């Protein structure tokens, strides 16, 4: 179930959607596909933008609802965003991750929508480190952060390519070729992560929020997040103390911060336990503070950070 804050966001979004659709009216349909021969694709956040652009190449015009440097979990839509959803030839999203986008898709009803929950196989759920006051509205919530596992992202890229071929069969051969190149890159990344994290002194990874469960599962690590699925979730003193106790009892050397949210909680845990801090980027968006210019670069920066922080030989 959405948090109360997310429920308010969804209600606000619905109102904006109604206004946006009324403003667009029949003109939206008339202006669809205005990027010439390119397929207009609207995506909900950066990893889907990266995959779609890599596969679509010059045949697509990709619009990302989550702007660079913005935190995607609590995205709000504007009337202009609504118009984009209405006019898009294809919308690519992951249901349940961004309530405003879910509401927008329901209301705008674009002709072609790809919800990547299926190919991503979202089979992890969030459970706090111990029962208590924190994030109980997220207890048992499905973890959406599949893209931090390049094997799952490769499966999603196959679904994106298949959808682009259905929408634009004239360029199907190019989409297949671009998919093959992307999947080679993701396979290479998987191999680097597998080799680079095979021999680590510490296998417990303490992070700002519970974004790295799929990565941890793939490479034999254990994630403990300070906050839940959303990095802006409230954390009680009891929960913070529980994480600090875990760091001490498991002799965790590094607590990981990230780029798009405040490091205050992670800094507090590190200060109270004597651990160091380092950046582990959940690749939810690219900004000037990101340790790379695209998904592959940031993921390899994450690998280097883990190899130093765990440490791995």
């Amino acid at each position: 179930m959405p948090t109360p804050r997310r429920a308010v966001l969804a209600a606000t979004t619905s109102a904006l959607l109604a206004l946006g659709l009324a403003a667009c009216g029949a003109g939206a349909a008339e202006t669809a596909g205005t990027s010439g021969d390119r397929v207009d694709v609207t995506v909900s956040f950066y990893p889907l933008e990266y995959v779609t652009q890599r596969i679509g190449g010059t045949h697509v015009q990709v619009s990302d609802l989550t702007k660079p440097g913005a935190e995607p979990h609590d995205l709000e839509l504007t009337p202009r965003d609504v118009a984009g959803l209405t006019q898009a030839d294809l919308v690519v999203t992951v249901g349940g991750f961004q309530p405003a986008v879910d509401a927008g898709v329901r209301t705008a009803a674009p002709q072609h929508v790809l919800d990547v929950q299926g190919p991503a196989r979202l089979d992890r759920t969030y459970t706090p480190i111990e029962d208590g006051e924190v994030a109980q509205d997220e207890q048992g919530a499905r973890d959406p952060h599949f893209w931090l596992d390049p094997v799952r992202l490769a499966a999603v890229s196959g679904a994106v390519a298949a959808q682009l071929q259905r929408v634009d069969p004239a360029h199907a051969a190019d989409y297949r070729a671009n998919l093959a190149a992307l999947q080679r890159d993701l396979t290479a990344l998987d191999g680097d992560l597998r080799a680079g994290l095979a021999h680590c002194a510490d296998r417990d990874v303490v992070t700002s929020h519970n974004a790295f469960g799929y990565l941890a599962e793939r490479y034999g690590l254990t994630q403990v997040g300070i906050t839940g699925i959303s990095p802006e979730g409230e954390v009680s003193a009891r929960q913070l103390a529980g994480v600090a106790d875990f760091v001490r009892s498991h002799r965790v050397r590094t607590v990981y911060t990230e780029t798009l949210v405040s490091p205050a909680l992670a800094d507090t845990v590190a200060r109270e336990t004597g651990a160091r801090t380092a950046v582990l980027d959940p690749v939810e968006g690219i900004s000037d503070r990101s340790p790379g210019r695209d998904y592959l670069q940031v993921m390899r920066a994450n690998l280097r950070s883990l190899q130093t922080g765990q440490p791995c030989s």
Side-chain angles (χ1 to χ4, degrees):
M1 294 180 62
T3 65
R5 180 182 179 187
R6 291 190 176 189
V8 171
L9 285 171
T12 303
T13 297
S14 296
L16 283 171
L17 286 167
L19 290 171
L21 287 174
C24 293
E30 295 169 0
T31 57
T34 53
S35 53
D37 293 334
R38 290 187 292 177
V39 178
D40 286 319
V41 185
T42 298
V43 301
S44 57
F45 71 120
Y46 172 72
L48 298 179
E49 177 189 2
Y50 175 75
V51 164
T52 303
Q53 192 64 70
R54 282 287 308 266
I55 296 169
T58 60
H59 303 309
V60 299
Q61 174 71 42
V62 182
S63 300
D64 191 343
L65 292 171
T66 305
K67 305 310 179 214
E71 210 295 313
H73 288 77
D74 289 326
L75 174 70
E76 298 182 64
L77 298 186
T78 68
R80 184 173 181 178
D81 295 329
V82 174
L85 286 170
T86 304
Q87 298 170 11
D89 298 317
L90 172 64
V91 174
V92 184
T93 184
V94 52
F97 177 44
Q98 296 168 291
V101 177
D102 295 344
V105 169
R106 285 193 302 269
T107 303
Q111 183 177 3
H112 299 285
V113 179
L114 174 61
D115 183 342
V116 303
Q117 289 185 83
R121 293 182 293 110
L122 302 183
D123 53 11
R124 292 190 59 83
T125 56
Y126 165 63
T127 302
I129 187 172
E130 63 178 63
D131 290 337
E133 306 165 31
V134 72
Q136 290 306 300
D137 53 335
E138 290 190 336
Q139 177 78 40
R142 201 161 40 169
D143 183 353
H145 300 88
F146 68 89
W147 59 92
L148 291 160
D149 174 358
V151 177
R152 291 177 190 258
L153 188 59
V156 166
S157 69
V160 172
Q163 188 66 44
L164 282 173
Q165 291 174 64
R166 284 191 286 270
V167 172
D168 181 25
H171 298 110
D174 289 342
Y175 297 142
R176 288 193 294 268
N178 292 343
L179 170 65
L182 172 58
Q183 291 190 329
R184 284 194 297 270
D185 287 345
L186 293 174
T187 298
L189 174 62
D190 171 55
D192 290 346
L193 287 162
R194 192 174 301 280
L197 300 176
H199 305 288
C200 300
D202 298 338
R203 305 207 70 82
D204 297 310
V205 180
V206 177
T207 61
S208 287
H209 83 290
N210 276 263
F212 296 89
Y214 291 111
L215 182 147
E217 179 181 66
R218 177 69 60 187
Y219 304 109
L221 305 172
T222 299
Q223 174 196 230
V224 173
I226 298 174
T227 63
I229 296 297
S230 170
E232 296 182 354
E234 295 182 3
V235 178
S236 69
R238 175 180 176 179
Q239 177 71 5
L240 203 60
V243 175
D245 288 345
F246 182 93
V247 170
R248 293 189 194 94
S249 63
H250 289 77
R251 299 181 180 180
V252 172
R253 309 178 196 204
T254 305
V255 176
Y256 294 96
T257 64
E258 53 191 76
T259 53
L260 297 182
V261 297
S262 169
L265 292 175
D267 287 344
T268 297
V269 172
R271 184 170 58 251
E272 291 183 356
T273 60
R276 64 185 290 270
T277 60
V279 173
L280 196 60
D281 196 312
V283 206
E284 294 175 346
I286 299 293
S287 72
D288 293 340
R289 298 177 59 196
S290 299
R293 292 175 296 177
D294 65 17
Y295 172 83
L296 293 174
Q297 289 186 5
V298 175
M299 285 296 289
R300 287 199 163 87
N302 282 342
L303 172 58
R304 294 190 294 271
S305 187
L306 286 168
Q307 287 178 307
T308 300
Q310 292 314 108
C312 310
S313 59

